[in-house]
Amino acid sequence: MTMDGALARIIRSAADRAAAAEPEVCDLCAAPVAEEHPHLYDTGAAEVRCVCRPCSVLFAEDGAGEGRHLLVPRRRLRLPPVDTAVLGVPVGLVFFVPRSDGTVTAQGPSPAGAMRWEVDASAWQRLTATFPQLASMAPEVEALLVNTARGPRAHWIVPIDDCFRMVALVRREWRGLSGGGRVWPAVERFFAELTERP
């Protein structure tokens, strides 16, 4: 089968599943999952995987999954305004992810997916000294999510799956060169619907 044929088959298969409204399933055991379900972060593929509650228990302890799969926490914490300008990232809609190796990346959504920069580690350490909540973030799976681009300023510690949802929302709603009239209202709704949870 040619590459074009394989791609067409994958696209048709995804469209057929969507049309049939197939329930979402666990990426580990294929059991159906509820609408609200846990996620694993696949560090090798840098992707979020859906899991059922029983499979998520396997990854609840530190060291489970040998670092390849990390259970994504549920915690969301609204922060007071954080001066992220010291991190040198030139965009107002961005999330910062501390990594297991001590580095920190900044990622901003775009029509093509997430753009990624490495943040100066010493600047991040100075910021965490000012905002100790940032030092409590779980590497790889929690992020500082910031919106200072439009609308009310927002600063949150969120699970990484929230960041992936925001990137997907921007890709879906973006029109033309500047985003069009749909993307920014959708981003504002996204932030307005975030709720704190332990």
Side-chain angles (χ1 to χ4, degrees):
M1 180 180 290
T2 67
M3 178 68 81
D4 290 340
L7 184 57
R9 182 178 54 75
I10 290 168
I11 292 169
R12 274 195 311 275
S13 175
D16 291 346
R17 280 195 313 274
E22 288 183 15
E24 210 166 1
V25 297
C26 175
D27 286 331
L28 296 182
C29 73
V33 295
E35 186 174 336
E36 286 284 323
H37 56 269
H39 290 109
L40 291 180
Y41 180 67
D42 181 332
T43 59
E47 293 179 350
V48 172
R49 310 267 185 220
C50 298
V51 290
C52 63
R53 297 232 180 266
C55 284
S56 74
V57 172
L58 300 172
F59 299 90
E61 297 294 321
D62 288 343
E66 299 176 352
R68 172 154 173 109
H69 292 98
L70 303 172
L71 186 62
V72 176
R74 293 184 32 84
R75 173 175 78 146
R76 282 195 198 123
L77 178 63
R78 182 190 300 267
L79 297 176
V82 178
D83 182 11
T84 55
V86 299
L87 300 176
V89 176
V91 294
L93 182 59
V94 64
F95 57 96
F96 299 90
V97 183
R99 301 294 175 183
S100 301
D101 62 5
T103 62
V104 178
T105 58
Q107 297 180 56
S110 78
M115 303 173 295
R116 186 174 172 158
W117 307 270
E118 191 160 320
V119 172
D120 178 60
S122 60
W124 178 260
Q125 288 170 353
R126 286 191 301 274
L127 191 63
T128 60
T130 306
F131 294 93
Q133 302 97 323
L134 299 179
S136 73
M137 290 169 48
E140 310 288 346
V141 291
E142 286 190 308
L144 169 61
L145 178 60
V146 175
N147 181 14
T148 58
R150 295 192 183 181
R153 293 178 177 267
H155 300 82
W156 288 80
I157 292 176
V158 297
I160 196 69
D161 52 0
D162 281 346
C163 300
F164 278 66
R165 284 189 313 112
M166 197 241 327
V167 169
L169 177 140
V170 169
R171 285 190 75 179
R172 184 181 67 235
E173 300 297 338
W174 194 278
R175 300 292 182 273
L177 294 175
S178 64
R182 293 173 33 174
V183 69
W184 294 110
V187 166
E188 289 174 21
R189 275 193 308 278
F190 175 89
F191 278 91
E193 291 170 3
L194 287 178
T195 56
E196 287 196 278
R197 61 190 187 200

